[in-house]
Amino acid sequence: MSGPELSDFGGGPFGIYVHVPFCATRCGYCDFNTYTAGELGTSASPQSWLAALRGELATAAEQFAALPTATPEVSTIFVGGGTPSLLGGAGLAEVLDAVRANFMLAPDAEVTTESNPESTSPEFFERLLAAGFTRISLGMQSAAAHVLKVLDRTHTPGRAVAAAREARAAGFEHVNLDLIYGTPGERDSDLDASLDAVLSAGVDHVSAYSLIVEDGTALARRVRRGELPAPDDDVLAARYERIDARLSAAGLTWYEVSNWAAGESAACRHNLGYWDGGDWLGAGPGAHSHVGGVRWWNVKHPARYADRVAAGGLPAAGWEQLTADERYTERLMLAVRLRTGLPLADLDAVGTAAAARVIADGLATSSADRLVLTDRGRLLADGVVRQLLVP
């Protein structure tokens, strides 16, 4: 297929997401575009992926250079996966070098990598800091061994906290820990232990997501067979309130429904770029991009991705030009989740009428002419969005 037809940049921040598709094992709840060595065989490797990544970045830089507006400086980079830390410190440094070879980074660029606690070490973090990374995001999920077992996580309960402390000791100011709550078998005491561990680690950012049973995953098959119960909505709501209360008391404030930070400087600027409707290049197998209202997504399998890059052009599997209605819907869906809220002036007639009802129901407030979710509204954020969109 032909590549995406770009007209210009959208004028917002510009970030780059790099997708590392490799994992040592597959977690039972995960439906991301990832592959173990056994699944790939000899069809792809970290080396062939990195060579293809360099090619994609070079092609994208060339196509962006033809747009009317000069390519903006890269304000954020996020290396995700998969398990980027499987590349090691040297491999991740090569990834950052590949970006720098094709794009200009802003002097204060935020550069994040996700890491699995088991594939990190003090030396790993020292190497990343020297390479130019500024932020670490560690997958913790839970401090309870039996919860990690249900999720098929391989790291030991205390390793994530130890890794966070190692990252801080290496000199990283910004460190995030991810939690998953509502796993079958998780008790209130398990969540409390996880929160105790997170707060003991000295991190300045926490992401907490309710467990979602995705179709096609090992977890979904276990739920379907009756081996595990499906997550309970009332339990999930109670757990969210418990998380918010503990983190808020410790000085971590929500800035997006599932994210808490110790001040504005600790918020993940890369994700804010998504939520604020910025432009980004998604490089790597299955990665999604958005530039000036055009969205495209890469072919998923690493071997096919490498073949497409070698053939020339961007390795897009498909692309679309967003309509005005689609852009309005996406803007609303994302902005409502932010603590800064959605400008009331951005709403159409349907949204304006619905906003009045949402405020009357106590799900949001009108603060500085912006619609901002209340604590109760955060629990029902998806329902608020539906009310604002549907007459």
Side-chain angles (χ1 to χ4, degrees):
M1 61 161 286
S2 60
E5 296 180 4
L6 304 178
S7 56
D8 206 355
F9 292 95
F14 177 55
I16 292 178
Y17 172 79
V18 176
H19 186 70
V20 181
F22 308 109
C23 280
T25 60
R26 181 173 299 282
C27 298
Y29 63 92
C30 180
D31 72 336
F32 293 165
N33 186 44
T34 62
Y35 305 83
T36 64
E39 291 168 338
L40 286 174
T42 59
S43 67
S45 67
Q47 293 73 32
S48 63
W49 166 83
L50 182 58
L53 177 71
R54 291 191 179 104
E56 182 186 8
L57 290 170
T59 298
E62 181 180 351
Q63 294 199 13
F64 291 169
L67 298 178
T69 302
T71 304
E73 290 184 328
V74 177
S75 60
T76 63
I77 299 170
F78 196 106
V79 185
T83 310
S85 49
L86 287 179
L87 301 177
L92 283 167
E94 288 188 76
V95 170
L96 188 49
D97 286 343
V99 175
R100 286 196 184 105
N102 294 284
F103 295 91
M104 180 69 67
L105 272 62
D108 65 342
E110 174 194 86
V111 185
T112 304
T113 184
E114 293 180 337
S115 299
N116 185 308
E118 291 293 342
S119 51
T120 64
S121 65
E123 294 75 23
F124 170 83
F125 293 121
E126 290 166 3
R127 181 67 181 85
L128 291 186
L129 192 70
F133 284 84
T134 66
R135 188 173 179 276
I136 300 294
S137 183
L138 293 158
M140 175 177 168
Q141 281 64 57
S142 176
H146 69 96
V147 173
L148 294 175
K149 184 176 181 181
V150 171
L151 295 173
D152 293 323
R153 295 290 295 185
T154 57
H155 65 80
T156 54
R159 178 56 203 154
V161 169
R165 289 172 176 162
E166 290 168 1
R168 297 282 288 179
F172 279 96
E173 180 182 357
H174 302 304
V175 180
N176 170 67
L177 283 171
D178 278 350
L179 289 176
I180 290 178
Y181 61 93
T183 300
E186 181 189 59
R187 301 162 299 204
D188 286 347
S189 59
D190 296 323
L191 180 60
D192 287 341
S194 297
L195 291 168
D196 288 342
V198 164
L199 295 175
S200 75
V203 297
D204 67 343
H205 192 286
V206 177
S207 300
Y209 304 102
S210 63
L211 179 67
I212 297 175
V213 180
E214 301 283 3
D215 290 341
T217 62
L219 180 62
R221 291 189 289 273
R222 295 184 69 186
V223 170
R224 189 169 57 248
R225 292 193 297 262
E227 297 173 12
L228 294 171
D232 180 273
D233 288 343
D234 290 336
V235 171
L236 293 176
R239 294 273 161 79
Y240 180 87
E241 290 175 326
R242 203 179 192 96
I243 291 167
D244 185 52
R246 287 290 306 279
L247 296 180
S248 297
L252 294 162
T253 304
W254 80 279
Y255 68 97
E256 191 274 342
V257 168
S258 298
N259 291 272
W260 290 257
E264 186 176 343
S265 64
C268 179
R269 287 166 46 203
H270 185 83
N271 286 341
L272 282 170
Y274 297 148
W275 297 322
D276 286 336
D279 290 329
W280 72 90
L281 169 68
H288 287 232
S289 301
H290 172 267
V291 172
V294 177
R295 181 166 51 206
W296 69 96
W297 47 95
N298 287 347
V299 294
K300 286 188 171 183
H301 196 279
R304 285 194 60 221
Y305 164 75
D307 289 343
R308 289 289 297 274
V309 171
L314 292 174
W319 66 278
E320 61 184 347
Q321 173 76 54
L322 298 177
T323 66
D325 285 346
E326 288 170 336
R327 296 180 77 166
Y328 172 79
T329 297
E330 291 197 0
R331 164 70 176 148
L332 191 152
M333 290 174 62
L334 296 171
V336 162
R337 296 179 61 87
L338 295 171
R339 188 183 185 94
T340 51
L342 174 72
L344 290 169
D346 289 356
L347 292 169
D348 61 14
V350 170
T352 299
R357 295 194 300 271
V358 167
I359 292 169
D361 290 341
L363 300 179
T365 62
S366 175
S367 176
D369 294 325
R370 302 177 79 90
L371 187 76
V372 179
L373 294 177
T374 61
D375 291 347
R376 180 166 167 262
R378 279 188 280 158
L379 296 173
L380 302 168
D382 291 343
V384 170
V385 168
R386 286 192 295 272
Q387 289 191 58
L388 295 173
L389 289 173
V390 180

